[in-house]
Amino acid sequence: MKHRVVLLSLALLASGCNVGPKYKRPDVAVPDSWRGVASEQATQTHAVPLGDQQWWDVFQDEQLRKLVRTALQQNYDLRIAASRVLEARAQLGITRADQFLTVSGGAGVSDSRTGQSKFFPPFETSAGQVNLSAAWEIDFWGKFRRATEAARASLLANAWARQEVVSTLVANVAGAYFQLRALDLQLEIAKRTLKSRQESLRLTRLLADGGSTSLLDVRQAEQLVFTASAEVPALEQQIEQQENFLSILLGQNPGDIPRGLTLTEQSQPPEVPPGLPSSLLERRPDIRQAEEQLIAANAQIGVARAAYFPQISLSGTGGFQSSALTGLFTGPAGAWNFGAGLTQPIFTAGRIRSGVRLAEARQQTAVLVYQQSIQGAFRSVSDALVASRKTREFRVQQEFLFQSAQDAARLSRMRYTGGVTGYLEVLTNETNAFSAELGLAQARLNELLALVQLYEALGGGWQQ
């Protein structure tokens, strides 16, 4: 009995030993400021960073908000990510259970009869047993605790992966909705232009019938009509396909998508506060996911190193057994046994050493992936910042271009009506004005898409 007490005492003393390196966050080079940020944005300290704002505050279109909420409830990618979190949580429970003893019970009964033989008479026997057994592998070296640490980090990594899906889904729904509204605007422009050009063609034909103009002017006026009319079915095709794409993001079969504000009514903040670069490490879910994967890989080194050391296990069984069921729980029917075992690897042909090297190599890979994720995040924010600023500048210039082209088209029609110039000038300026108006719609879309891109790059959208 004394040696058992000593053995259990040693187990308790050694149970706090964890082999393997403790996790330490790798050093990363964090820039002091964002590249691509405007000077007035860099000095903003009071404004809430864009990445910290809720998606329903960033996007003011109520119909867009409804679409995002629907997608967060029904999107299949998000539901798959949530299922993976449940898988990781169950795996953590399985792994953690290895730290504790296992207890099982059993019972059995048997009856047998032997037939009469030449030398022996027939006889019957019955036997029964009830037992309770326990087994425990003592976690001397922290193998199971390290495995639990790795499983817990994997659970958190899956949880952050789900948040990354949420952030991407919010950005995709918003971007797809803005593209749909841009196509609606372009279709409206095409139909309005087509109606105007059809009226112009009618007047040109009247002038040609009266001998005031030539058939060439009629043909040139027809070109304007056909150019605008060709845009209508092409845009209608893109609109229906965009609705199908957006329906899939919502987790629905292809169908109509309800609209809210027009593209020109969508709000755009005058200045976008990006926040500090260092805060990105805690805000972006993909970076947090990469770090949890690194923590899991680091813990697996301890699991691999623990294989060098002996495994100590305790086992015991207690119960009752008797050849007669009536005496199972009486008299000398009690039975028990207790044992302890130690297993020490002696020769494994380098298996354990290779296992440690494999775990260390995976940890180094996870370090590089973590550092690469951070650099990629800084680049995406910088790209989005410069895109947000430059698309706004481009949109302003596109507005000037459209105003100029629209006025040129108006003047050319006046000159043609007054007989100062031919219809070729009208054709050229009408074409330029139509292209400029479509280009302005695209410029407004690009400005909104840049905002969505920046919001996602700054780690926004997953906060609920």
Short mmCIF file of all heavy atoms in Angstrom, two decimals, residues 91-125:
data_model
loop_
_atom_site.label_atom_id
_atom_site.label_comp_id
_atom_site.label_asym_id
_atom_site.label_seq_id
_atom_site.Cartn_x
_atom_site.Cartn_y
_atom_site.Cartn_z
N GLN A 91 -14.40 18.21 -30.93
CA GLN A 91 -13.05 17.65 -30.92
C GLN A 91 -12.30 18.08 -29.67
O GLN A 91 -11.52 17.29 -29.10
CB GLN A 91 -12.30 18.09 -32.18
CG GLN A 91 -10.91 17.48 -32.32
CD GLN A 91 -10.96 15.97 -32.39
OE1 GLN A 91 -11.70 15.40 -33.19
NE2 GLN A 91 -10.18 15.30 -31.55
N LEU A 92 -12.52 19.30 -29.22
CA LEU A 92 -11.90 19.76 -27.97
C LEU A 92 -12.37 18.90 -26.80
O LEU A 92 -11.57 18.52 -25.93
CB LEU A 92 -12.24 21.22 -27.73
CG LEU A 92 -11.82 21.80 -26.37
CD1 LEU A 92 -10.31 21.71 -26.18
CD2 LEU A 92 -12.29 23.25 -26.23
N GLY A 93 -13.67 18.59 -26.76
CA GLY A 93 -14.18 17.74 -25.70
C GLY A 93 -13.57 16.35 -25.72
O GLY A 93 -13.24 15.78 -24.66
N ILE A 94 -13.39 15.80 -26.91
CA ILE A 94 -12.77 14.48 -27.03
C ILE A 94 -11.33 14.51 -26.55
O ILE A 94 -10.88 13.63 -25.80
CB ILE A 94 -12.85 14.00 -28.50
CG1 ILE A 94 -14.31 13.78 -28.91
CG2 ILE A 94 -12.05 12.72 -28.69
CD1 ILE A 94 -14.49 13.50 -30.39
N THR A 95 -10.58 15.52 -26.99
CA THR A 95 -9.17 15.62 -26.61
C THR A 95 -9.01 15.88 -25.12
O THR A 95 -8.13 15.29 -24.46
CB THR A 95 -8.50 16.73 -27.42
OG1 THR A 95 -8.69 16.50 -28.82
CG2 THR A 95 -7.00 16.79 -27.14
N ARG A 96 -9.81 16.75 -24.58
CA ARG A 96 -9.71 17.09 -23.15
C ARG A 96 -10.02 15.88 -22.27
O ARG A 96 -9.48 15.75 -21.16
CB ARG A 96 -10.67 18.24 -22.85
CG ARG A 96 -10.57 18.78 -21.43
CD ARG A 96 -11.43 20.02 -21.27
NE ARG A 96 -11.37 20.52 -19.91
CZ ARG A 96 -12.20 20.15 -18.93
NH1 ARG A 96 -13.17 19.27 -19.20
NH2 ARG A 96 -12.09 20.64 -17.72
N ALA A 97 -10.88 14.99 -22.73
CA ALA A 97 -11.26 13.82 -21.93
C ALA A 97 -10.07 12.90 -21.65
O ALA A 97 -10.10 12.12 -20.69
CB ALA A 97 -12.37 13.04 -22.64
N ASP A 98 -9.02 12.98 -22.48
CA ASP A 98 -7.84 12.12 -22.26
C ASP A 98 -7.12 12.45 -20.96
O ASP A 98 -6.32 11.64 -20.48
CB ASP A 98 -6.88 12.24 -23.44
CG ASP A 98 -7.44 11.63 -24.71
OD1 ASP A 98 -8.29 10.73 -24.60
OD2 ASP A 98 -7.02 12.05 -25.81
N GLN A 99 -7.35 13.63 -20.40
CA GLN A 99 -6.67 14.02 -19.17
C GLN A 99 -7.24 13.31 -17.94
O GLN A 99 -6.60 13.29 -16.89
CB GLN A 99 -6.78 15.53 -18.94
CG GLN A 99 -6.15 16.38 -20.03
CD GLN A 99 -6.26 17.85 -19.71
OE1 GLN A 99 -5.92 18.30 -18.62
NE2 GLN A 99 -6.73 18.62 -20.67
N PHE A 100 -8.40 12.73 -18.03
CA PHE A 100 -9.10 12.19 -16.87
C PHE A 100 -9.17 10.66 -16.96
O PHE A 100 -9.01 10.08 -18.03
CB PHE A 100 -10.50 12.79 -16.78
CG PHE A 100 -10.50 14.29 -16.77
CD1 PHE A 100 -10.69 15.01 -17.94
CD2 PHE A 100 -10.28 14.99 -15.60
CE1 PHE A 100 -10.69 16.39 -17.95
CE2 PHE A 100 -10.28 16.37 -15.58
CZ PHE A 100 -10.48 17.07 -16.75
N LEU A 101 -9.40 10.05 -15.79
CA LEU A 101 -9.55 8.61 -15.79
C LEU A 101 -10.86 8.21 -16.43
O LEU A 101 -11.83 8.98 -16.44
CB LEU A 101 -9.47 8.08 -14.36
CG LEU A 101 -10.71 8.19 -13.47
CD1 LEU A 101 -10.60 7.19 -12.33
CD2 LEU A 101 -10.85 9.60 -12.91
N THR A 102 -10.88 7.00 -16.96
CA THR A 102 -12.10 6.46 -17.55
C THR A 102 -12.63 5.35 -16.64
O THR A 102 -11.84 4.54 -16.11
CB THR A 102 -11.82 5.89 -18.95
OG1 THR A 102 -10.82 4.86 -18.86
CG2 THR A 102 -11.35 6.98 -19.88
N VAL A 103 -13.90 5.35 -16.44
CA VAL A 103 -14.55 4.37 -15.57
C VAL A 103 -15.61 3.64 -16.39
O VAL A 103 -16.39 4.28 -17.12
CB VAL A 103 -15.20 5.04 -14.34
CG1 VAL A 103 -15.86 4.00 -13.45
CG2 VAL A 103 -14.16 5.82 -13.55
N SER A 104 -15.64 2.33 -16.27
CA SER A 104 -16.64 1.54 -16.99
C SER A 104 -17.12 0.41 -16.09
O SER A 104 -16.40 -0.04 -15.18
CB SER A 104 -16.06 0.98 -18.30
OG SER A 104 -14.93 0.17 -18.03
N GLY A 105 -18.30 -0.01 -16.32
CA GLY A 105 -18.88 -1.10 -15.54
C GLY A 105 -19.34 -2.21 -16.44
O GLY A 105 -19.59 -2.02 -17.64
N GLY A 106 -19.43 -3.40 -15.86
CA GLY A 106 -19.85 -4.54 -16.65
C GLY A 106 -20.56 -5.57 -15.79
O GLY A 106 -20.39 -5.61 -14.57
N ALA A 107 -21.34 -6.38 -16.38
CA ALA A 107 -22.04 -7.46 -15.70
C ALA A 107 -22.24 -8.61 -16.67
O ALA A 107 -22.37 -8.38 -17.89
CB ALA A 107 -23.39 -6.99 -15.16
N GLY A 108 -22.23 -9.78 -16.15
CA GLY A 108 -22.41 -10.94 -17.02
C GLY A 108 -22.97 -12.12 -16.25
O GLY A 108 -22.77 -12.24 -15.04
N VAL A 109 -23.66 -12.98 -16.93
CA VAL A 109 -24.22 -14.19 -16.34
C VAL A 109 -24.18 -15.28 -17.40
O VAL A 109 -24.36 -15.01 -18.60
CB VAL A 109 -25.66 -13.94 -15.84
CG1 VAL A 109 -26.57 -13.55 -16.99
CG2 VAL A 109 -26.19 -15.17 -15.12
N SER A 110 -23.90 -16.50 -16.95
CA SER A 110 -23.85 -17.62 -17.89
C SER A 110 -24.37 -18.88 -17.21
O SER A 110 -24.19 -19.08 -16.01
CB SER A 110 -22.40 -17.84 -18.37
OG SER A 110 -21.56 -18.22 -17.29
N ASP A 111 -25.04 -19.70 -17.97
CA ASP A 111 -25.53 -21.00 -17.52
C ASP A 111 -25.09 -22.04 -18.55
O ASP A 111 -25.11 -21.78 -19.76
CB ASP A 111 -27.06 -21.00 -17.41
CG ASP A 111 -27.54 -20.16 -16.26
OD1 ASP A 111 -27.30 -20.52 -15.10
OD2 ASP A 111 -28.16 -19.08 -16.53
N SER A 112 -24.71 -23.20 -18.05
CA SER A 112 -24.29 -24.27 -18.95
C SER A 112 -24.72 -25.63 -18.37
O SER A 112 -24.85 -25.78 -17.15
CB SER A 112 -22.78 -24.24 -19.17
OG SER A 112 -22.08 -24.50 -17.94
N ARG A 113 -24.92 -26.59 -19.25
CA ARG A 113 -25.28 -27.95 -18.84
C ARG A 113 -24.44 -28.92 -19.65
O ARG A 113 -24.33 -28.79 -20.88
CB ARG A 113 -26.77 -28.21 -19.08
CG ARG A 113 -27.23 -29.59 -18.64
CD ARG A 113 -28.71 -29.80 -18.95
NE ARG A 113 -29.19 -31.05 -18.40
CZ ARG A 113 -29.05 -32.24 -18.98
NH1 ARG A 113 -28.43 -32.33 -20.16
NH2 ARG A 113 -29.53 -33.33 -18.41
N THR A 114 -23.89 -29.87 -18.96
CA THR A 114 -23.11 -30.91 -19.59
C THR A 114 -23.92 -32.21 -19.60
O THR A 114 -24.47 -32.61 -18.56
CB THR A 114 -21.78 -31.14 -18.84
OG1 THR A 114 -21.06 -29.93 -18.80
CG2 THR A 114 -20.94 -32.20 -19.54
N GLY A 115 -24.00 -32.82 -20.74
CA GLY A 115 -24.80 -34.05 -20.84
C GLY A 115 -24.14 -35.24 -20.13
O GLY A 115 -22.93 -35.24 -19.85
N GLN A 116 -24.94 -36.24 -19.88
CA GLN A 116 -24.45 -37.44 -19.21
C GLN A 116 -23.50 -38.21 -20.12
O GLN A 116 -23.71 -38.33 -21.32
CB GLN A 116 -25.64 -38.35 -18.82
CG GLN A 116 -25.24 -39.62 -18.11
CD GLN A 116 -26.44 -40.45 -17.69
OE1 GLN A 116 -27.58 -40.01 -17.83
NE2 GLN A 116 -26.20 -41.66 -17.18
N SER A 117 -22.45 -38.74 -19.52
CA SER A 117 -21.51 -39.57 -20.26
C SER A 117 -21.36 -40.92 -19.52
O SER A 117 -21.98 -41.15 -18.48
CB SER A 117 -20.15 -38.87 -20.36
OG SER A 117 -19.56 -38.73 -19.07
N LYS A 118 -20.52 -41.73 -20.07
CA LYS A 118 -20.35 -43.07 -19.50
C LYS A 118 -19.79 -43.01 -18.09
O LYS A 118 -20.13 -43.84 -17.23
CB LYS A 118 -19.44 -43.89 -20.42
CG LYS A 118 -19.22 -45.32 -19.95
CD LYS A 118 -18.37 -46.07 -20.96
CE LYS A 118 -18.16 -47.52 -20.50
NZ LYS A 118 -17.32 -48.29 -21.46
N PHE A 119 -18.96 -42.01 -17.86
CA PHE A 119 -18.29 -41.95 -16.56
C PHE A 119 -18.82 -40.84 -15.65
O PHE A 119 -18.54 -40.85 -14.46
CB PHE A 119 -16.79 -41.76 -16.77
CG PHE A 119 -16.15 -42.85 -17.57
CD1 PHE A 119 -15.85 -42.64 -18.91
CD2 PHE A 119 -15.87 -44.09 -16.99
CE1 PHE A 119 -15.26 -43.64 -19.65
CE2 PHE A 119 -15.27 -45.08 -17.74
CZ PHE A 119 -14.97 -44.87 -19.07
N PHE A 120 -19.55 -39.85 -16.23
CA PHE A 120 -20.00 -38.72 -15.42
C PHE A 120 -21.50 -38.49 -15.62
O PHE A 120 -22.02 -38.62 -16.75
CB PHE A 120 -19.26 -37.43 -15.80
CG PHE A 120 -17.78 -37.52 -15.58
CD1 PHE A 120 -16.93 -37.81 -16.64
CD2 PHE A 120 -17.24 -37.32 -14.31
CE1 PHE A 120 -15.56 -37.89 -16.43
CE2 PHE A 120 -15.87 -37.41 -14.11
CZ PHE A 120 -15.03 -37.68 -15.17
N PRO A 121 -22.15 -38.14 -14.56
CA PRO A 121 -23.58 -37.82 -14.70
C PRO A 121 -23.75 -36.41 -15.28
O PRO A 121 -22.80 -35.62 -15.31
CB PRO A 121 -24.06 -37.88 -13.25
CG PRO A 121 -22.88 -37.48 -12.45
CD PRO A 121 -21.68 -38.06 -13.15
N PRO A 122 -24.93 -36.08 -15.75
CA PRO A 122 -25.14 -34.70 -16.25
C PRO A 122 -25.08 -33.70 -15.09
O PRO A 122 -25.44 -34.04 -13.95
CB PRO A 122 -26.53 -34.76 -16.86
CG PRO A 122 -27.21 -35.89 -16.16
CD PRO A 122 -26.15 -36.91 -15.86
N PHE A 123 -24.57 -32.49 -15.41
CA PHE A 123 -24.56 -31.46 -14.37
C PHE A 123 -24.70 -30.08 -15.02
O PHE A 123 -24.38 -29.88 -16.20
CB PHE A 123 -23.27 -31.53 -13.54
CG PHE A 123 -22.02 -31.21 -14.30
CD1 PHE A 123 -21.52 -29.90 -14.38
CD2 PHE A 123 -21.33 -32.22 -14.97
CE1 PHE A 123 -20.38 -29.64 -15.10
CE2 PHE A 123 -20.17 -31.94 -15.68
CZ PHE A 123 -19.70 -30.64 -15.74
N GLU A 124 -25.22 -29.13 -14.23
CA GLU A 124 -25.43 -27.75 -14.68
C GLU A 124 -24.60 -26.79 -13.83
O GLU A 124 -24.41 -27.03 -12.62
CB GLU A 124 -26.91 -27.37 -14.58
CG GLU A 124 -27.82 -28.17 -15.47
CD GLU A 124 -29.26 -27.73 -15.36
OE1 GLU A 124 -29.51 -26.73 -14.62
OE2 GLU A 124 -30.13 -28.35 -15.99
N THR A 125 -24.14 -25.72 -14.45
CA THR A 125 -23.39 -24.69 -13.73
C THR A 125 -23.94 -23.31 -14.12
O THR A 125 -24.43 -23.12 -15.24
CB THR A 125 -21.89 -24.74 -14.05
OG1 THR A 125 -21.72 -24.50 -15.46
CG2 THR A 125 -21.28 -26.06 -13.68
#
